[in-house]
Amino acid sequence: MIVTFTANPSLDRTVALPGPLERGEVQRAVSVRQESGGKGVNVSRALVASGLESLAVLPGADSDPVLAGLRESAVPFVSLPIDEPLRTNVALTEPGGVTTKINEPGPILAADQQEALIKLLLESSRGAGWVVLAGSLPPGFPDNFYATVARRIREAGNGTAPLIAVDSSGAPLAAALADAGTPDDGTGAGGTGTGGGTTTRSGKPDLLKPNAEELAELAAAAGFPPASGDELEADPAAAAAAAAAVVRSGVGAVLATLGSKGAVLVTADGAWLATHPPVAAVSTVGAGDSALAGYLLAHGRGAAPADCLRQAVAHGAAAASLPGSTVPAVNQTTPDAVTITALRKD
């Protein structure tokens, strides 16, 4: 099973415009769609749509529209009850797939609620194959929240913890990369429990899923020469080299999505580029989340890294061709159309 954790879920409204967005003008929408969202929620939705067992962990009142939407779409979830309503995000899509997003900050959760949310995740992720920590953090959460959660999952697992994927941005993503772990005191709390006192239980993820801009920031922090997201997106070989720098810093693997250019996957053992023939883009909302779901779907079936990347790109391309934040099922994807190219890591 794959457990997803969304600290800042949302009700995602997608407004389709008949033409380009015109600032300061009145425009009439062609259509409006509404789905339960947030990165982790989207991953769970995509996995469930493909027949894979997934559980979404999130905050929210039982009557909140986000939770109601999950029930309607038959996505299993557990939630921490809160009094504040969850946020609503709005995406404006233009013909051709150009998307403008307006994201609300989300409710404020007190320190005891943050702790309760972590404990709910720890209970829910026992026996899981993966835990996905995804999306932005609500106001007031510490930047190192995901790194802390990753360490605690590994502490609770005592050597049998699930693999951990992180898909976020900004300070929470940087903190996940920077986390060096907790020294082992010999008791097992924060270490291996061997008593050596020198090992660490790191908060670094087994898989990072940045876009090109996020990869540029992470790579710079890992000592890679400065580069812009646009430069990395235009040059997959440079993107692979940047991702390799991140892997050398202690991350298990990097799946970097490069928009219409495809995606690169870098592990300690290799680097690959995957491209898909152009699709008629309708909405890019959730395409990256679907790509991560495709990777996890293939990984759960025992696929080799390059084939996990193949399914990731197939899922992302399929999502971009669907309206709103609609996620594709595996039978709507075309992995046979994806071209895989081996790359150098340095």
Side-chain angles (χ1 to χ4, degrees), residues 52-100:
L52 198 69
E53 187 179 5
S54 183
L55 178 71
V57 179
L58 68 163
D62 189 62
S63 60
D64 195 279
V66 174
L67 273 58
L70 291 177
R71 292 190 195 96
E72 291 173 5
S73 55
V75 175
F77 69 90
V78 292
S79 61
L80 175 73
I82 61 173
D83 295 329
E84 295 291 324
L86 297 173
R87 61 184 180 149
T88 297
N89 293 340
V90 178
L92 306 175
T93 62
E94 305 172 35
V98 175
T99 302
T100 303

mmCIF file of all heavy atoms in Angstrom, residues 52-100:
data_model
loop_
_atom_site.group_PDB
_atom_site.id
_atom_site.type_symbol
_atom_site.label_atom_id
_atom_site.label_comp_id
_atom_site.label_asym_id
_atom_site.label_seq_id
_atom_site.Cartn_x
_atom_site.Cartn_y
_atom_site.Cartn_z
ATOM 1 N N LEU A 52 -4.582 0.529 -7.579
ATOM 2 C CA LEU A 52 -3.574 0.295 -6.547
ATOM 3 C C LEU A 52 -4.093 0.779 -5.198
ATOM 4 O O LEU A 52 -4.753 1.817 -5.115
ATOM 5 C CB LEU A 52 -2.281 1.024 -6.897
ATOM 6 C CG LEU A 52 -1.027 0.544 -6.162
ATOM 7 C CD1 LEU A 52 -0.646 -0.853 -6.624
ATOM 8 C CD2 LEU A 52 0.143 1.491 -6.417
ATOM 9 N N GLU A 53 -3.771 0.056 -4.156
ATOM 10 C CA GLU A 53 -4.243 0.417 -2.819
ATOM 11 C C GLU A 53 -3.491 1.645 -2.312
ATOM 12 O O GLU A 53 -2.261 1.666 -2.297
ATOM 13 C CB GLU A 53 -4.042 -0.758 -1.859
ATOM 14 C CG GLU A 53 -4.651 -0.537 -0.487
ATOM 15 C CD GLU A 53 -4.470 -1.721 0.435
ATOM 16 O OE1 GLU A 53 -3.785 -2.691 0.033
ATOM 17 O OE2 GLU A 53 -5.005 -1.685 1.553
ATOM 18 N N SER A 54 -4.226 2.654 -1.910
ATOM 19 C CA SER A 54 -3.623 3.872 -1.389
ATOM 20 C C SER A 54 -4.510 4.447 -0.300
ATOM 21 O O SER A 54 -5.736 4.278 -0.330
ATOM 22 C CB SER A 54 -3.433 4.911 -2.509
ATOM 23 O OG SER A 54 -2.787 6.074 -2.010
ATOM 24 N N LEU A 55 -3.883 5.113 0.653
ATOM 25 C CA LEU A 55 -4.595 5.760 1.753
ATOM 26 C C LEU A 55 -4.101 7.191 1.866
ATOM 27 O O LEU A 55 -2.893 7.429 1.988
ATOM 28 C CB LEU A 55 -4.345 5.014 3.065
ATOM 29 C CG LEU A 55 -4.993 5.615 4.323
ATOM 30 C CD1 LEU A 55 -6.506 5.424 4.282
ATOM 31 C CD2 LEU A 55 -4.410 4.982 5.588
ATOM 32 N N ALA A 56 -5.013 8.143 1.840
ATOM 33 C CA ALA A 56 -4.660 9.560 1.988
ATOM 34 C C ALA A 56 -4.816 9.969 3.454
ATOM 35 O O ALA A 56 -5.851 9.703 4.072
ATOM 36 C CB ALA A 56 -5.556 10.421 1.106
ATOM 37 N N VAL A 57 -3.801 10.600 3.997
ATOM 38 C CA VAL A 57 -3.821 11.129 5.362
ATOM 39 C C VAL A 57 -3.798 12.647 5.267
ATOM 40 O O VAL A 57 -2.916 13.210 4.603
ATOM 41 C CB VAL A 57 -2.621 10.611 6.178
ATOM 42 C CG1 VAL A 57 -2.651 11.192 7.596
ATOM 43 C CG2 VAL A 57 -2.606 9.093 6.214
ATOM 44 N N LEU A 58 -4.735 13.293 5.945
ATOM 45 C CA LEU A 58 -4.867 14.745 5.820
ATOM 46 C C LEU A 58 -5.679 15.303 6.975
ATOM 47 O O LEU A 58 -6.378 14.552 7.652
ATOM 48 C CB LEU A 58 -5.533 15.115 4.493
ATOM 49 C CG LEU A 58 -7.018 14.751 4.288
ATOM 50 C CD1 LEU A 58 -7.593 15.546 3.131
ATOM 51 C CD2 LEU A 58 -7.232 13.265 4.026
ATOM 52 N N PRO A 59 -5.592 16.624 7.219
ATOM 53 C CA PRO A 59 -6.486 17.258 8.186
ATOM 54 C C PRO A 59 -7.801 17.627 7.512
ATOM 55 O O PRO A 59 -7.875 17.731 6.283
ATOM 56 C CB PRO A 59 -5.709 18.506 8.607
ATOM 57 C CG PRO A 59 -4.951 18.879 7.355
ATOM 58 C CD PRO A 59 -4.596 17.577 6.690
ATOM 59 N N GLY A 60 -8.833 17.851 8.309
ATOM 60 C CA GLY A 60 -10.092 18.312 7.743
ATOM 61 C C GLY A 60 -11.292 17.850 8.538
ATOM 62 O O GLY A 60 -11.323 16.713 9.040
ATOM 63 N N ALA A 61 -12.284 18.731 8.673
ATOM 64 C CA ALA A 61 -13.533 18.370 9.332
ATOM 65 C C ALA A 61 -14.284 17.338 8.494
ATOM 66 O O ALA A 61 -14.172 17.304 7.271
ATOM 67 C CB ALA A 61 -14.396 19.610 9.523
ATOM 68 N N ASP A 62 -15.046 16.502 9.157
ATOM 69 C CA ASP A 62 -15.758 15.433 8.465
ATOM 70 C C ASP A 62 -16.688 15.976 7.388
ATOM 71 O O ASP A 62 -16.919 15.318 6.369
ATOM 72 C CB ASP A 62 -16.567 14.614 9.483
ATOM 73 C CG ASP A 62 -17.148 13.361 8.880
ATOM 74 O OD1 ASP A 62 -16.371 12.496 8.421
ATOM 75 O OD2 ASP A 62 -18.393 13.241 8.841
ATOM 76 N N SER A 63 -17.216 17.176 7.592
ATOM 77 C CA SER A 63 -18.156 17.758 6.636
ATOM 78 C C SER A 63 -17.477 18.602 5.562
ATOM 79 O O SER A 63 -18.150 19.153 4.692
ATOM 80 C CB SER A 63 -19.173 18.631 7.379
ATOM 81 O OG SER A 63 -18.509 19.680 8.083
ATOM 82 N N ASP A 64 -16.142 18.709 5.597
ATOM 83 C CA ASP A 64 -15.442 19.575 4.648
ATOM 84 C C ASP A 64 -15.628 19.059 3.217
ATOM 85 O O ASP A 64 -15.602 17.845 2.977
ATOM 86 C CB ASP A 64 -13.951 19.619 4.991
ATOM 87 C CG ASP A 64 -13.237 20.768 4.299
ATOM 88 O OD1 ASP A 64 -12.895 20.606 3.114
ATOM 89 O OD2 ASP A 64 -13.049 21.812 4.935
ATOM 90 N N PRO A 65 -15.818 19.957 2.265
ATOM 91 C CA PRO A 65 -16.008 19.526 0.868
ATOM 92 C C PRO A 65 -14.852 18.679 0.321
ATOM 93 O O PRO A 65 -15.073 17.844 -0.554
ATOM 94 C CB PRO A 65 -16.126 20.851 0.115
ATOM 95 C CG PRO A 65 -16.628 21.827 1.119
ATOM 96 C CD PRO A 65 -16.012 21.418 2.419
ATOM 97 N N VAL A 66 -13.626 18.905 0.817
ATOM 98 C CA VAL A 66 -12.503 18.095 0.339
ATOM 99 C C VAL A 66 -12.704 16.631 0.713
ATOM 100 O O VAL A 66 -12.531 15.722 -0.109
ATOM 101 C CB VAL A 66 -11.169 18.619 0.900
ATOM 102 C CG1 VAL A 66 -10.020 17.686 0.514
ATOM 103 C CG2 VAL A 66 -10.892 20.026 0.400
ATOM 104 N N LEU A 67 -13.095 16.380 1.967
ATOM 105 C CA LEU A 67 -13.334 15.011 2.407
ATOM 106 C C LEU A 67 -14.566 14.421 1.730
ATOM 107 O O LEU A 67 -14.583 13.232 1.379
ATOM 108 C CB LEU A 67 -13.482 14.964 3.925
ATOM 109 C CG LEU A 67 -12.171 14.819 4.728
ATOM 110 C CD1 LEU A 67 -11.212 15.950 4.434
ATOM 111 C CD2 LEU A 67 -12.443 14.714 6.213
ATOM 112 N N ALA A 68 -15.569 15.256 1.521
ATOM 113 C CA ALA A 68 -16.760 14.775 0.810
ATOM 114 C C ALA A 68 -16.396 14.336 -0.605
ATOM 115 O O ALA A 68 -16.895 13.313 -1.101
ATOM 116 C CB ALA A 68 -17.817 15.879 0.770
ATOM 117 N N GLY A 69 -15.506 15.082 -1.243
ATOM 118 C CA GLY A 69 -15.079 14.718 -2.593
ATOM 119 C C GLY A 69 -14.320 13.401 -2.622
ATOM 120 O O GLY A 69 -14.455 12.613 -3.567
ATOM 121 N N LEU A 70 -13.514 13.143 -1.590
ATOM 122 C CA LEU A 70 -12.800 11.869 -1.527
ATOM 123 C C LEU A 70 -13.768 10.707 -1.364
ATOM 124 O O LEU A 70 -13.587 9.639 -1.962
ATOM 125 C CB LEU A 70 -11.793 11.894 -0.378
ATOM 126 C CG LEU A 70 -10.587 12.829 -0.567
ATOM 127 C CD1 LEU A 70 -9.706 12.825 0.668
ATOM 128 C CD2 LEU A 70 -9.777 12.416 -1.787
ATOM 129 N N ARG A 71 -14.785 10.911 -0.564
ATOM 130 C CA ARG A 71 -15.793 9.852 -0.418
ATOM 131 C C ARG A 71 -16.480 9.577 -1.751
ATOM 132 O O ARG A 71 -16.689 8.418 -2.123
ATOM 133 C CB ARG A 71 -16.837 10.256 0.623
ATOM 134 C CG ARG A 71 -16.329 10.325 2.053
ATOM 135 C CD ARG A 71 -17.472 10.502 3.037
ATOM 136 N NE ARG A 71 -16.958 10.903 4.334
ATOM 137 C CZ ARG A 71 -16.879 12.153 4.750
ATOM 138 N NH1 ARG A 71 -17.312 13.149 3.977
ATOM 139 N NH2 ARG A 71 -16.407 12.447 5.943
ATOM 140 N N GLU A 72 -16.845 10.632 -2.443
ATOM 141 C CA GLU A 72 -17.549 10.471 -3.715
ATOM 142 C C GLU A 72 -16.698 9.741 -4.750
ATOM 143 O O GLU A 72 -17.221 8.988 -5.573
ATOM 144 C CB GLU A 72 -17.961 11.845 -4.258
ATOM 145 C CG GLU A 72 -19.050 12.525 -3.442
ATOM 146 C CD GLU A 72 -19.312 13.947 -3.900
ATOM 147 O OE1 GLU A 72 -18.709 14.352 -4.924
ATOM 148 O OE2 GLU A 72 -20.086 14.651 -3.248
ATOM 149 N N SER A 73 -15.381 9.957 -4.695
ATOM 150 C CA SER A 73 -14.499 9.313 -5.662
ATOM 151 C C SER A 73 -13.911 8.005 -5.137
ATOM 152 O O SER A 73 -13.038 7.417 -5.777
ATOM 153 C CB SER A 73 -13.371 10.264 -6.070
ATOM 154 O OG SER A 73 -12.675 10.738 -4.936
ATOM 155 N N ALA A 74 -14.385 7.562 -3.970
ATOM 156 C CA ALA A 74 -13.993 6.268 -3.388
ATOM 157 C C ALA A 74 -12.497 6.172 -3.116
ATOM 158 O O ALA A 74 -11.881 5.115 -3.300
ATOM 159 C CB ALA A 74 -14.448 5.122 -4.290
ATOM 160 N N VAL A 75 -11.901 7.284 -2.681
ATOM 161 C CA VAL A 75 -10.492 7.286 -2.284
ATOM 162 C C VAL A 75 -10.418 7.110 -0.770
ATOM 163 O O VAL A 75 -10.902 7.960 -0.025
ATOM 164 C CB VAL A 75 -9.792 8.595 -2.699
ATOM 165 C CG1 VAL A 75 -8.360 8.633 -2.166
ATOM 166 C CG2 VAL A 75 -9.800 8.743 -4.212
ATOM 167 N N PRO A 76 -9.834 6.021 -0.284
ATOM 168 C CA PRO A 76 -9.737 5.817 1.166
ATOM 169 C C PRO A 76 -8.904 6.918 1.825
ATOM 170 O O PRO A 76 -7.893 7.349 1.276
ATOM 171 C CB PRO A 76 -9.044 4.454 1.286
ATOM 172 C CG PRO A 76 -9.281 3.772 -0.027
ATOM 173 C CD PRO A 76 -9.298 4.878 -1.041
ATOM 174 N N PHE A 77 -9.333 7.343 3.007
ATOM 175 C CA PHE A 77 -8.593 8.384 3.717
ATOM 176 C C PHE A 77 -8.828 8.273 5.205
ATOM 177 O O PHE A 77 -9.804 7.657 5.670
ATOM 178 C CB PHE A 77 -9.002 9.780 3.228
ATOM 179 C CG PHE A 77 -10.401 10.189 3.610
ATOM 180 C CD1 PHE A 77 -10.659 10.860 4.806
ATOM 181 C CD2 PHE A 77 -11.470 9.894 2.782
ATOM 182 C CE1 PHE A 77 -11.944 11.230 5.167
ATOM 183 C CE2 PHE A 77 -12.766 10.258 3.130
ATOM 184 C CZ PHE A 77 -13.007 10.929 4.317
ATOM 185 N N VAL A 78 -7.912 8.865 5.965
ATOM 186 C CA VAL A 78 -8.105 9.112 7.390
ATOM 187 C C VAL A 78 -7.774 10.577 7.606
ATOM 188 O O VAL A 78 -6.859 11.118 6.982
ATOM 189 C CB VAL A 78 -7.227 8.216 8.279
ATOM 190 C CG1 VAL A 78 -7.670 6.763 8.195
ATOM 191 C CG2 VAL A 78 -5.764 8.347 7.926
ATOM 192 N N SER A 79 -8.513 11.216 8.500
ATOM 193 C CA SER A 79 -8.328 12.658 8.670
ATOM 194 C C SER A 79 -8.259 13.038 10.142
ATOM 195 O O SER A 79 -8.834 12.368 11.012
ATOM 196 C CB SER A 79 -9.476 13.432 8.011
ATOM 197 O OG SER A 79 -10.718 13.086 8.603
ATOM 198 N N LEU A 80 -7.533 14.116 10.407
ATOM 199 C CA LEU A 80 -7.501 14.727 11.733
ATOM 200 C C LEU A 80 -8.545 15.825 11.763
ATOM 201 O O LEU A 80 -8.450 16.793 11.000
ATOM 202 C CB LEU A 80 -6.116 15.328 12.006
ATOM 203 C CG LEU A 80 -5.998 16.101 13.324
ATOM 204 C CD1 LEU A 80 -5.990 15.134 14.500
ATOM 205 C CD2 LEU A 80 -4.742 16.973 13.325
ATOM 206 N N PRO A 81 -9.581 15.700 12.606
ATOM 207 C CA PRO A 81 -10.623 16.732 12.626
ATOM 208 C C PRO A 81 -10.059 18.093 13.051
ATOM 209 O O PRO A 81 -9.294 18.190 14.008
ATOM 210 C CB PRO A 81 -11.610 16.202 13.673
ATOM 211 C CG PRO A 81 -11.352 14.725 13.745
ATOM 212 C CD PRO A 81 -9.876 14.580 13.513
ATOM 213 N N ILE A 82 -10.408 19.130 12.307
ATOM 214 C CA ILE A 82 -10.041 20.499 12.660
ATOM 215 C C ILE A 82 -11.274 21.383 12.489
ATOM 216 O O ILE A 82 -12.227 21.010 11.801
ATOM 217 C CB ILE A 82 -8.882 21.035 11.795
ATOM 218 C CG1 ILE A 82 -9.273 21.060 10.306
ATOM 219 C CG2 ILE A 82 -7.617 20.205 12.007
ATOM 220 C CD1 ILE A 82 -8.245 21.731 9.413
ATOM 221 N N ASP A 83 -11.244 22.539 13.129
ATOM 222 C CA ASP A 83 -12.397 23.440 13.067
ATOM 223 C C ASP A 83 -12.380 24.323 11.818
ATOM 224 O O ASP A 83 -13.434 24.698 11.307
ATOM 225 C CB ASP A 83 -12.435 24.329 14.321
ATOM 226 C CG ASP A 83 -12.683 23.528 15.591
ATOM 227 O OD1 ASP A 83 -13.382 22.494 15.503
ATOM 228 O OD2 ASP A 83 -12.178 23.927 16.658
ATOM 229 N N GLU A 84 -11.188 24.674 11.353
ATOM 230 C CA GLU A 84 -11.077 25.592 10.221
ATOM 231 C C GLU A 84 -11.385 24.874 8.904
ATOM 232 O O GLU A 84 -11.049 23.702 8.738
ATOM 233 C CB GLU A 84 -9.662 26.168 10.148
ATOM 234 C CG GLU A 84 -9.287 27.045 11.326
ATOM 235 C CD GLU A 84 -10.066 28.347 11.328
ATOM 236 O OE1 GLU A 84 -10.321 28.890 10.241
ATOM 237 O OE2 GLU A 84 -10.417 28.813 12.424
ATOM 238 N N PRO A 85 -12.021 25.564 7.955
ATOM 239 C CA PRO A 85 -12.227 24.951 6.635
ATOM 240 C C PRO A 85 -10.916 24.840 5.879
ATOM 241 O O PRO A 85 -10.004 25.656 6.062
ATOM 242 C CB PRO A 85 -13.184 25.932 5.945
ATOM 243 C CG PRO A 85 -12.934 27.245 6.617
ATOM 244 C CD PRO A 85 -12.613 26.919 8.045
ATOM 245 N N LEU A 86 -10.817 23.828 5.041
ATOM 246 C CA LEU A 86 -9.648 23.688 4.177
ATOM 247 C C LEU A 86 -9.698 24.724 3.069
ATOM 248 O O LEU A 86 -10.745 25.289 2.768
ATOM 249 C CB LEU A 86 -9.582 22.273 3.610
ATOM 250 C CG LEU A 86 -9.413 21.168 4.663
ATOM 251 C CD1 LEU A 86 -9.526 19.793 4.021
ATOM 252 C CD2 LEU A 86 -8.078 21.312 5.396
ATOM 253 N N ARG A 87 -8.576 24.958 2.451
ATOM 254 C CA ARG A 87 -8.465 26.037 1.467
ATOM 255 C C ARG A 87 -9.099 25.654 0.123
ATOM 256 O O ARG A 87 -9.326 24.475 -0.170
ATOM 257 C CB ARG A 87 -6.991 26.391 1.246
ATOM 258 C CG ARG A 87 -6.172 25.230 0.721
ATOM 259 C CD ARG A 87 -4.707 25.579 0.615
ATOM 260 N NE ARG A 87 -3.943 24.439 0.108
ATOM 261 C CZ ARG A 87 -2.854 24.543 -0.630
ATOM 262 N NH1 ARG A 87 -2.400 25.734 -0.969
ATOM 263 N NH2 ARG A 87 -2.217 23.472 -1.036
ATOM 264 N N THR A 88 -9.359 26.664 -0.676
ATOM 265 C CA THR A 88 -9.806 26.481 -2.055
ATOM 266 C C THR A 88 -8.773 27.104 -2.982
ATOM 267 O O THR A 88 -8.385 28.259 -2.801
ATOM 268 C CB THR A 88 -11.174 27.143 -2.290
ATOM 269 O OG1 THR A 88 -12.153 26.508 -1.462
ATOM 270 C CG2 THR A 88 -11.593 27.008 -3.741
ATOM 271 N N ASN A 89 -8.303 26.338 -3.953
ATOM 272 C CA ASN A 89 -7.361 26.832 -4.950
ATOM 273 C C ASN A 89 -8.081 26.978 -6.285
ATOM 274 O O ASN A 89 -8.943 26.174 -6.624
ATOM 275 C CB ASN A 89 -6.180 25.877 -5.111
ATOM 276 C CG ASN A 89 -5.308 25.826 -3.869
ATOM 277 O OD1 ASN A 89 -5.339 26.733 -3.039
ATOM 278 N ND2 ASN A 89 -4.531 24.770 -3.739
ATOM 279 N N VAL A 90 -7.707 27.992 -7.022
ATOM 280 C CA VAL A 90 -8.334 28.260 -8.320
ATOM 281 C C VAL A 90 -7.275 28.203 -9.409
ATOM 282 O O VAL A 90 -6.204 28.806 -9.276
ATOM 283 C CB VAL A 90 -9.028 29.632 -8.334
ATOM 284 C CG1 VAL A 90 -9.623 29.922 -9.701
ATOM 285 C CG2 VAL A 90 -10.123 29.689 -7.264
ATOM 286 N N ALA A 91 -7.564 27.464 -10.467
ATOM 287 C CA ALA A 91 -6.683 27.411 -11.641
ATOM 288 C C ALA A 91 -7.447 27.927 -12.850
ATOM 289 O O ALA A 91 -8.586 27.513 -13.098
ATOM 290 C CB ALA A 91 -6.206 25.988 -11.890
ATOM 291 N N LEU A 92 -6.854 28.850 -13.588
ATOM 292 C CA LEU A 92 -7.437 29.387 -14.821
ATOM 293 C C LEU A 92 -6.668 28.788 -15.992
ATOM 294 O O LEU A 92 -5.460 28.980 -16.121
ATOM 295 C CB LEU A 92 -7.318 30.909 -14.844
ATOM 296 C CG LEU A 92 -7.894 31.650 -13.625
ATOM 297 C CD1 LEU A 92 -7.601 33.144 -13.736
ATOM 298 C CD2 LEU A 92 -9.383 31.408 -13.505
ATOM 299 N N THR A 93 -7.363 28.033 -16.822
ATOM 300 C CA THR A 93 -6.694 27.383 -17.946
ATOM 301 C C THR A 93 -7.108 28.029 -19.262
ATOM 302 O O THR A 93 -8.280 28.313 -19.489
ATOM 303 C CB THR A 93 -7.017 25.882 -18.000
ATOM 304 O OG1 THR A 93 -8.419 25.690 -18.193
ATOM 305 C CG2 THR A 93 -6.605 25.199 -16.710
ATOM 306 N N GLU A 94 -6.117 28.274 -20.113
ATOM 307 C CA GLU A 94 -6.344 28.847 -21.438
ATOM 308 C C GLU A 94 -6.214 27.754 -22.493
ATOM 309 O O GLU A 94 -5.616 26.701 -22.238
ATOM 310 C CB GLU A 94 -5.313 29.951 -21.690
ATOM 311 C CG GLU A 94 -5.287 31.032 -20.628
ATOM 312 C CD GLU A 94 -4.121 31.986 -20.809
ATOM 313 O OE1 GLU A 94 -3.771 32.261 -21.977
ATOM 314 O OE2 GLU A 94 -3.543 32.438 -19.805
ATOM 315 N N PRO A 95 -6.769 27.946 -23.662
ATOM 316 C CA PRO A 95 -6.567 26.973 -24.739
ATOM 317 C C PRO A 95 -5.075 26.730 -24.961
ATOM 318 O O PRO A 95 -4.272 27.663 -24.961
ATOM 319 C CB PRO A 95 -7.205 27.651 -25.958
ATOM 320 C CG PRO A 95 -8.250 28.548 -25.372
ATOM 321 C CD PRO A 95 -7.655 29.060 -24.089
ATOM 322 N N GLY A 96 -4.718 25.461 -25.119
ATOM 323 C CA GLY A 96 -3.310 25.118 -25.248
ATOM 324 C C GLY A 96 -2.681 24.688 -23.944
ATOM 325 O O GLY A 96 -1.533 24.263 -23.915
ATOM 326 N N GLY A 97 -3.432 24.803 -22.836
ATOM 327 C CA GLY A 97 -2.947 24.290 -21.562
ATOM 328 C C GLY A 97 -2.240 25.283 -20.673
ATOM 329 O O GLY A 97 -1.813 24.926 -19.568
ATOM 330 N N VAL A 98 -2.084 26.544 -21.093
ATOM 331 C CA VAL A 98 -1.468 27.543 -20.215
ATOM 332 C C VAL A 98 -2.342 27.710 -18.978
ATOM 333 O O VAL A 98 -3.550 27.920 -19.075
ATOM 334 C CB VAL A 98 -1.311 28.893 -20.938
ATOM 335 C CG1 VAL A 98 -0.782 29.959 -19.987
ATOM 336 C CG2 VAL A 98 -0.386 28.745 -22.126
ATOM 337 N N THR A 99 -1.714 27.599 -17.812
ATOM 338 C CA THR A 99 -2.472 27.558 -16.560
ATOM 339 C C THR A 99 -1.964 28.616 -15.592
ATOM 340 O O THR A 99 -0.751 28.744 -15.379
ATOM 341 C CB THR A 99 -2.357 26.168 -15.906
ATOM 342 O OG1 THR A 99 -2.837 25.172 -16.820
ATOM 343 C CG2 THR A 99 -3.175 26.108 -14.630
ATOM 344 N N THR A 100 -2.873 29.368 -15.009
ATOM 345 C CA THR A 100 -2.566 30.330 -13.956
ATOM 346 C C THR A 100 -3.225 29.855 -12.677
ATOM 347 O O THR A 100 -4.437 29.631 -12.647
ATOM 348 C CB THR A 100 -3.095 31.732 -14.308
ATOM 349 O OG1 THR A 100 -2.533 32.146 -15.554
ATOM 350 C CG2 THR A 100 -2.743 32.736 -13.225
#
